[in-house]
Amino acid sequence: MALTIALAGNPNSGKTTLFNALTGSNQFVGNWPGVTVEKKEGRLKGYKDVSLIDLPGIYSLSPYSLEEVIARDYLLEEKPGVILNIIDGTNLERNLFLTTQLLDMGIPVVAAVNMIDVVNKTGDEINLAELGKILGCEAVGVSALKGTGVREAAQAAIRAAGKKQGPSPCRFSCKVGEALDKIGVLLGDRVSGDLRRFSALKVFERDARLMEKIPLPQAEALILEVEKTLEDDSQSIITEERYGFIGEIIPRVLKKKRRGALTLSDKIDKVVTNRFLALPVFAAVIFLIYFVSVTTVGAWVTDWTNDGLFGDGFHITGGAAYGEAARAFAESGAGEEPAPEDFGLWVPGIPALIGGALRAIGTADWLNGLILDGIVAGVGAVLGFVPQMLVLFFFLASLEACGYMARIAFILDRVFRRFGLSGRSFIPMLISTGCGIPGVMASRTIENQMDRRMTIMTTTFMPCGAKLPIIALISGSVLGGVWWVAPSAYFLGIFSVVVSGLILKKTRMFAGDASPFVMELPAYHFPAPGNVLRSMGERAWSFMRKAGSIILVSAALVWFLSGFGFTEDGFGMVEDLREGLLAGIGGAIAWIFAPLGFGTWEAAVATLTGLVAKENVVGTMGVLYGFAEVAEDGQQMWEAFAANFTAISAYAFLAFNLLCAPCFAAIGAIKREMNNAKWTLFALSYQTVYAYCTALIIYQLGSFFAGGVFTAGTIAGFAAPALLVFLLVRKSGGKPKPRDAEA
Ligand code: GDP
């Protein structure tokens, strides 16, 4: 008969490492239904009919976080054959807290005491036989990293499956024990015998989820009585008594070599989380990662993919010679322009290869266009970002695996909490200043779903690299190159993140973040290369798969809309963007932007093509104002472009394009990370509405204060900040939605 082993344990206890060791490559990664939490399943190596399911890392079975709800529901509803509970042996006390709860579920448990190599190295000793005897289950010493004890743990789990799990060893004080017994009687046969103790405990703790399913108002008097006697709330009573029990067993099973001695991890923490050094160390680490992944290695590989592989092509040899010849030609202008393919070994880019092939077959023009400008360009846009993502994800996975990520969260959490974000939001925001796509993807390191969604929604407000040309264009052409435009764009981004955090926190969707912030600082570890590479690959692959489709479709659509239109000869391909359907759409929607000061069809079209990639905003303007090749700083377009804008409307245009829905690739990433169409739509609408309000305020109030003319728009200009202030200061929006009731 097929057997399912459920892997359960605290975050950072080594679950991933053990899961990988047990399943090897027989894994399937998906999501738990309807939520963004990753679900991993696999087949136990060497067994045909034993499967493993990796439950989310949790500290307890109270429904505080989505992860806890998922793990608990799985155990209650799917009833796996056995629970393999991973316990971090270097942190017994904290980890056994979950164990005492798992033992209440009426499912056989095997305790895999992990990190046994670290325990042994410090000279401590864990008496596994004694631990097993006390817990009433088999306890196996494991080093998931080194592979010791892994097989034994799996075999113990297989042996335990099917056996009956004895009563939980965790005894409660007289008063509590009596109350639990009475609640058990009240529950009667509304729950199965196996679950009676678990259910009684949850009733006693007034667990909202359980009480919804099995209301037991009669129990309230019993609970109140105990609370009165022990002068504490029922949940704290249970927590404290569990820790009391653990406190009793620890001295019996753990022999510490040197009491109170500092471990290496403690010593590192003395520096890294030191009051004065924490931030400088953090800044240095971040600078290094950012530098390598965004400005050096990452940028090189991304440039190579975009300009070489998906561009004209690249040199394997002869690159330097060509560079020199090209420079000489640029300086002197004499002779014939050197062609790259004449130098060394030149590999043409994929578009050139496919274009050549299409020409050879002699396909129709429109098909060439669709394939090259639609599909290849679309796929190129997706793949172009992947190398940079790989570099970045490599670092993130390493930071996470070595334990430093938890420290970053710890250091920044107090600041970020104030505006509804988690300490872990910092990294996605920072990365987004390079590119929003890995920024959004990096939000995956945020465990709490609400924090993660908030980060995904706000992180693309940061100006990414592709938005820089827009900034350069506006500041160069209209604003006379003043220095403050670029810094103000970053400031506007940060300001928008903070304001949005505060506004969204007041909405019902994000309200009531009551979950106590429990965080364990795990001991530092040397990251296991296999895990790091695997995590890096998984993230990149899931981006390509999920985001790729949306980007492909959108790129093809915009290609069609801009390249086709009604001409004198009827419907067909058009030479000029001005004649395309997109121009028509731009004209039709231009009025929407009129209150923002840029109600021209050109600006509307540029904004629309900006959805494909923000670089297009400047490029499109170039085409529309009659320049075929436009330098990114917009030199040539100054006059024609500037004539259509005032300083204020130009800044409003800039603000709108910085803050509105990001490019399709980033939208794809948002869709991927939200894993939910409704939330994706909500995020994009929020961003666009917020951008609209901001641009409205800038244009209307700017014009009013600069020119003193009061129009209907001015009223809207005053109303928008009033609305923002109202949203900021109002009381929280109603009852918090129970997290677990998520779709
Ligand atoms: P998870 O959060 O529970 O999935 O934990 P991981 O599997 O990511 O492990 C957290 C860290 O502990 C990683 O750096 C692992 O390399 C490390 N680790 C896991 N198991 C062991 C072990 O048995 N010994 C040692 N020394 N390190 C381990």
Side-chain angles (χ1 to χ4, degrees):
M1 204 189 74
L3 166 68
T4 305
I5 303 177
L7 230 50
N10 284 192
N12 276 305
S13 56
K15 245 157 38 64
T16 313
T17 315
L18 185 62
F19 182 78
N20 290 342
L22 286 172
T23 59
S25 54
N26 307 314
Q27 309 189 354
F28 337 98
V29 185
N31 275 83
W32 293 89
V35 293
T36 51
V37 180
E38 208 160 71
K39 177 182 190 182
K40 277 198 195 151
E41 285 181 272
R43 194 157 49 75
L44 182 62
K45 253 196 293 194
Y47 292 83
K48 268 217 174 65
D49 50 357
V50 182
S51 60
L52 235 74
I53 184 134
D54 190 17
L55 299 180
I58 47 172
Y59 292 114
S60 83
L61 289 177
S62 327
Y64 280 138
S65 70
L66 184 68
E67 283 72 12
E68 288 166 343
V69 170
I70 291 173
R72 180 169 126 169
D73 282 356
Y74 178 82
L75 294 175
L76 286 175
E77 283 155 24
E78 307 290 324
K79 284 248 166 227
V82 54
I83 300 174
L84 186 56
N85 174 210
I86 305 154
I87 295 172
D88 176 356
T90 62
N91 213 331
L92 270 188
E93 188 172 9
R94 173 84 231 185
N95 280 253
L96 284 172
F97 184 64
L98 177 66
T99 311
T100 61
Q101 299 179 58
L102 293 173
L103 287 167
D104 288 329
M105 309 278 297
I107 300 172
V109 174
V110 167
V113 181
N114 191 26
M115 318 256 179
I116 209 77
D117 55 323
V118 185
V119 176
N120 292 340
K121 211 151 122 200
T122 55
D124 294 350
E125 263 173 56
I126 297 178
N127 187 338
L128 292 165
E130 180 69 12
L131 180 67
K133 210 164 88 194
I134 298 173
L135 296 179
C137 67
E138 200 165 343
V140 188
V142 172
S143 168
L145 191 67
K146 305 242 148 85
T148 44
V150 170
R151 272 200 86 71
E152 288 76 359
Q155 282 159 353
I158 294 172
R159 271 199 306 277
K163 284 195 194 146
K164 208 167 158 48
Q165 178 67 37
S168 167
C170 183
R171 296 271 151 256
F172 293 98
S173 62
C174 238
K175 271 264 164 227
V176 179
E178 273 170 25
L180 288 177
D181 287 344
K182 285 186 191 154
I183 294 173
V185 174
L186 285 177
L187 280 168
D189 44 10
R190 290 163 78 181
V191 292
S192 72
D194 281 351
L195 281 178
R196 185 147 313 136
R197 180 172 160 102
F198 174 80
S199 308
L201 272 159
K202 290 295 152 195
V203 169
F204 186 79
E205 290 180 318
R206 297 201 186 85
D207 181 291
R209 252 178 109 69
L210 188 99
M211 300 216 304
E212 226 169 71
K213 282 194 194 134
I214 317 172
L216 203 67
Q218 313 91 300
E220 190 54 26
L222 286 167
I223 306 169
L224 280 174
E225 196 191 313
V226 180
E227 285 184 329
K228 213 165 128 212
T229 323
L230 298 180
E231 291 178 349
D232 209 343
D233 67 279
S234 65
Q235 220 175 357
S236 309
I237 294 173
I238 297 291
T239 304
E240 219 157 275
E241 298 209 351
R242 280 193 200 278
Y243 272 118
F245 167 73
I246 295 167
E248 276 168 31
I249 63 174
I250 293 274
R252 289 167 59 192
V253 298
L254 177 69
K255 234 182 26 230
K256 275 217 173 268
K257 189 172 168 223
R258 292 161 298 161
R259 281 200 172 274
L262 285 184
T263 61
L264 179 63
S265 202
D266 293 335
K267 283 182 201 150
I268 298 177
D269 264 344
K270 271 209 166 301
V271 178
V272 167
T273 54
N274 174 290
R275 202 142 50 104
F276 303 105
L277 289 176
L279 285 177
V281 169
F282 170 63
V285 170
I286 289 303
F287 173 78
L288 192 75
I289 291 185
Y290 191 78
F291 184 72
V292 175
S293 40
V294 178
T295 54
T296 59
V297 180
W300 296 331
V301 268
T302 295
D303 282 350
W304 177 80
T305 334
N306 283 335
D307 301 336
L309 194 60
F310 280 94
D312 297 334
F314 54 93
H315 279 108
I316 293 182
T317 61
Y322 167 69
E324 211 140 282
R327 220 178 357 262
F329 172 77
E331 275 165 19
S332 66
E336 209 169 294
E337 185 172 357
E341 54 269 31
D342 296 340
F343 291 81
L345 196 52
W346 166 257
V347 182
I350 289 174
L353 286 177
I354 296 182
L358 291 177
R359 266 193 304 281
I361 320 172
T363 42
D365 267 359
W366 68 268
L367 190 60
N368 284 352
L370 172 64
I371 294 176
L372 286 176
D373 303 335
I375 298 174
V376 175
V379 173
V382 180
L383 294 186
F385 290 112
V386 170
Q388 197 171 359
M389 269 164 60
L390 286 176
V391 177
L392 197 69
F393 289 151
F394 173 80
F395 282 111
L396 287 184
S398 308
L399 276 195
E400 218 171 321
C402 77
Y404 187 61
M405 197 67 105
R407 270 98 183 157
I408 296 183
F410 175 73
I411 297 166
L412 294 177
D413 211 72
R414 276 181 45 195
V415 187
F416 274 64
R417 272 293 145 209
R418 297 208 180 138
F419 44 88
L421 290 161
S422 112
R424 290 177 189 245
S425 315
F426 180 80
I427 301 232
M429 308 258 155
L430 186 85
I431 293 170
S432 292
T433 58
C435 173
I437 301 155
V440 169
M441 302 278 296
S443 65
R444 213 179 267 197
T445 55
I446 304 170
E447 270 146 25
N448 180 293
Q449 159 143 303
M450 212 138 62
D451 294 343
R452 186 169 49 230
R453 282 186 175 148
M454 181 81 96
T455 308
I456 298 172
M457 284 184 69
T458 52
T459 192
T460 53
F461 283 149
M462 300 307 290
C464 68
K467 291 174 185 168
L468 296 182
I470 314 180
I471 300 175
L473 171 72
I474 299 291
S475 85
S477 63
V478 191
L479 297 170
V482 286
W483 64 270
W484 53 261
V485 180
S488 76
Y490 284 93
F491 177 76
L492 186 64
I494 297 171
F495 175 80
S496 302
V497 170
V498 172
V499 167
S500 301
L502 292 173
I503 290 178
L504 290 171
K505 210 168 68 166
K506 298 262 164 88
T507 63
R508 193 154 171 263
M509 279 166 285
F510 286 99
D513 190 3
S515 72
F517 186 60
V518 198
M519 193 167 51
E520 181 75 8
L521 293 185
Y524 286 100
H525 298 278
F526 193 78
N531 284 354
V532 169
L533 293 177
R534 195 187 284 261
S535 146
M536 175 182 100
E538 264 166 23
R539 283 180 196 180
W541 173 234
S542 88
F543 166 74
M544 288 194 270
R545 216 179 27 183
K546 293 274 177 67
S549 48
I550 193 171
I551 299 168
L552 199 70
V553 171
S554 337
L557 188 71
V558 171
W559 165 81
F560 172 74
L561 290 178
S562 53
F564 282 79
F566 293 96
T567 59
E568 286 153 12
D569 314 327
F571 185 76
M573 259 180 120
V574 292
E575 288 292 313
D576 191 338
L577 187 56
R578 264 171 262 243
E579 294 167 0
L581 293 174
L582 194 64
I585 297 175
I589 63 163
W591 60 271
I592 298 176
F593 301 112
L596 314 184
F598 53 93
T600 59
W601 72 268
E602 290 94 340
V605 169
T607 304
L608 285 180
T609 55
L611 290 176
V612 179
K614 294 286 166 187
E615 290 97 335
N616 287 354
V617 174
V618 173
T620 305
M621 285 293 194
V623 175
L624 296 180
Y625 287 103
F627 298 94
E629 280 282 312
V630 186
E632 286 205 334
D633 60 2
Q635 291 281 352
Q636 302 97 317
M637 308 164 40
W638 283 18
E639 284 167 26
F641 177 79
N644 262 325
F645 282 95
T646 64
I648 298 166
S649 69
Y651 197 82
F653 176 76
L654 172 67
F656 184 80
N657 274 289
L658 288 186
L659 301 174
C660 72
C663 64
F664 284 135
I667 293 178
I670 292 179
K671 164 95 189 345
R672 164 72 198 100
E673 289 311 303
M674 287 288 192
N675 199 27
N676 176 313
K678 247 176 23 199
W679 271 96
T680 309
L681 210 62
F682 175 61
L684 301 178
S685 322
Y686 174 78
Q687 291 162 346
T688 309
V689 170
Y690 177 83
Y692 194 89
C693 287
T694 309
L696 185 76
I697 294 171
I698 293 173
Y699 178 65
Q700 293 296 347
L701 295 193
S703 311
F704 175 68
F705 288 116
V709 192
F710 196 91
T711 63
T714 317
I715 301 175
F718 276 107
L723 178 72
L724 282 185
V725 171
F726 165 73
L727 290 174
L728 276 175
V729 299
R730 77 189 176 123
K731 282 231 283 282
S732 285
K735 211 167 71 142
K737 189 172 169 184
R739 291 162 169 246
D740 34 340
E742 293 284 343

